């Protein structure tokens, strides 16, 4: 049974650019959630995908968008990057209707 | 309100001692309270979780105590070891599979 894998592990982007982060969910999981973790803080919920549709969103602007694919993998896209977008982005998979998430190791995004 | 407040922010304990981390929540609709452990460069890993129908849950050296009337829950780590040195997050969610609301984290250092 494989866990949640994310790519890339580290990324440096310039303010105003766009970025795509990728996530492969744990085998058997059909729901993917994305979280943003700023340095020294707890993760903040961005959104969740189930059956390739967004079914929950936190307090993040529309320039944060996502996709879920038929194999349950997912992408997080961020447009018009801002310096405050610098953070660890965590993907978590779960089984719809079940408790408990499995988190990946995250992608460390630095915006300069 | 969706806040979860966690204390202390940092904690130093001697090897063999008891580590205690506290969390308080406001939303009475929360019905799932997990604790996560996070090592540097890694994503959060589920440590132990509790539902509000019980007041205590123990797994090995880790115990959650839950006080529904006070809207508080705590993590106790017995016989703390240097390998327990990590950041611990409490979290809460409403209904299965919903977004997790995290506390701000506690950085635990266990001295040999």
């Amino acid at each position: 049974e494989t866990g949640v894998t994310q790519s890339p592990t580290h990324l440096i982007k310039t303010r105003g650019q766009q970025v795509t982060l990728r996530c492969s969910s744990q085998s058997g999981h059909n729901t993917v959630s994305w979280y943003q973790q700023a340095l020294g803080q707890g993760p903040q919920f961005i959104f969740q995908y189930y059956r390739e549709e967004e079914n929950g969103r936190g307090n993040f602007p529309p320039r944060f968008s996502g996709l879920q694919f038929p194999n349950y993998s997912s992408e997080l896209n961020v447009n018009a990057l801002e310096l405050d977008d610098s953070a660890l982005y965590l993907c978590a998979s779960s089984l719809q209707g079940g408790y408990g998430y499995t988190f990946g190791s995250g992608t460390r995004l630095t915006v300069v | 309100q969706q806040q979860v407040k966690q204390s202390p922010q940092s904690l130093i304990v001697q090897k063999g001692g008891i580590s205690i981390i506290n969390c308080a929540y406001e939303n009475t609709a929360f019905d799932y309270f997990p604790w996560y452990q996070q090592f540097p460069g890694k994503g959060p890993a589920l440590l132990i979780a509790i539902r509000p129908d019980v007041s205590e849950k123990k797994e090995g050296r880790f115990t959650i105590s839950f006080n529904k009337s006070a809207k508080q829950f705590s993590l106790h780590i017995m016989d703390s070891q240097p390998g327990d040195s990590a950041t611990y997050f409490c979290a809460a969610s409403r209904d299965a599979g919903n977004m997790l609301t995290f506390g701000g984290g506690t950085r635990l250092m266990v001295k040999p």
Side-chain angles (χ1 to χ4, degrees):
Chain A
E1 180 180 283
T2 58
V4 176
T5 57
Q6 293 187 241
S7 63
T9 54
H10 295 84
L11 201 54
I12 300 176
K13 288 286 189 178
T14 302
R15 188 172 54 181
Q17 283 187 315
Q18 178 266 344
V19 68
T20 298
L21 311 181
R22 295 179 174 83
C23 170
S24 294
S25 60
Q26 178 170 312
S27 176
H29 285 181
N30 56 13
T31 301
V32 174
S33 303
W34 287 90
Y35 287 77
Q36 180 195 65
Q37 186 177 20
L39 200 61
Q41 297 183 23
Q44 297 285 318
F45 175 74
I46 303 175
F47 44 55
Q48 182 179 87
Y49 278 82
Y50 172 62
R51 288 185 176 177
E52 302 174 48
E53 291 191 3
E54 184 181 297
N55 74 339
R57 189 178 185 93
N59 189 26
F60 280 81
R63 59 189 186 85
F64 285 78
S65 63
L67 287 172
Q68 186 185 31
F69 300 100
N71 65 354
Y72 307 125
S73 65
S74 177
E75 286 182 356
L76 164 66
N77 299 289
V78 187
N79 293 321
L81 284 166
E82 301 176 359
L83 297 179
D84 284 349
D85 295 335
S86 295
L88 181 68
Y89 287 85
L90 296 163
C91 172
S93 72
S94 60
L95 197 57
Q96 183 67 13
Y99 288 96
Y101 289 82
T102 300
F103 282 87
S105 291
T107 294
R108 171 70 65 186
L109 172 65
T110 302
V111 182
V112 297
Chain B
Q1 274 284 16
Q2 296 284 328
Q3 260 189 325
V4 176
K5 294 182 180 178
Q6 184 172 344
S7 63
Q9 285 186 306
S10 62
L11 182 61
I12 300 174
V13 173
Q14 289 295 128
K15 179 183 175 182
I18 303 174
S19 304
I20 301 174
I21 305 171
N22 301 298
C23 282
Y25 64 97
E26 298 175 4
N27 188 344
T28 55
F30 286 146
D31 69 346
Y32 175 67
F33 302 89
W35 285 89
Y36 284 85
Q37 179 189 55
Q38 186 174 30
F39 292 104
K42 299 292 185 183
L46 180 64
L47 201 57
I48 186 173
I50 198 168
R51 301 286 308 282
D53 51 344
V54 296
S55 60
E56 186 174 283
K57 182 175 181 180
K58 184 176 181 179
E59 290 183 1
R61 296 186 293 111
F62 301 93
T63 300
I64 298 180
S65 297
F66 185 80
N67 186 329
K68 189 174 181 178
S69 61
K71 294 188 284 185
Q72 295 175 348
F73 58 111
S74 61
L75 175 69
H76 294 230
I77 306 174
M78 312 300 288
D79 188 26
S80 299
Q81 299 296 312
D84 296 331
S85 297
T87 301
Y88 292 80
F89 293 96
C90 62
S93 73
R94 184 189 65 170
D95 298 332
N98 268 339
M99 60 171 274
L100 288 168
T101 299
F102 282 85
T106 296
R107 200 167 184 174
L108 171 66
M109 181 186 298
V110 180
K111 288 192 167 182

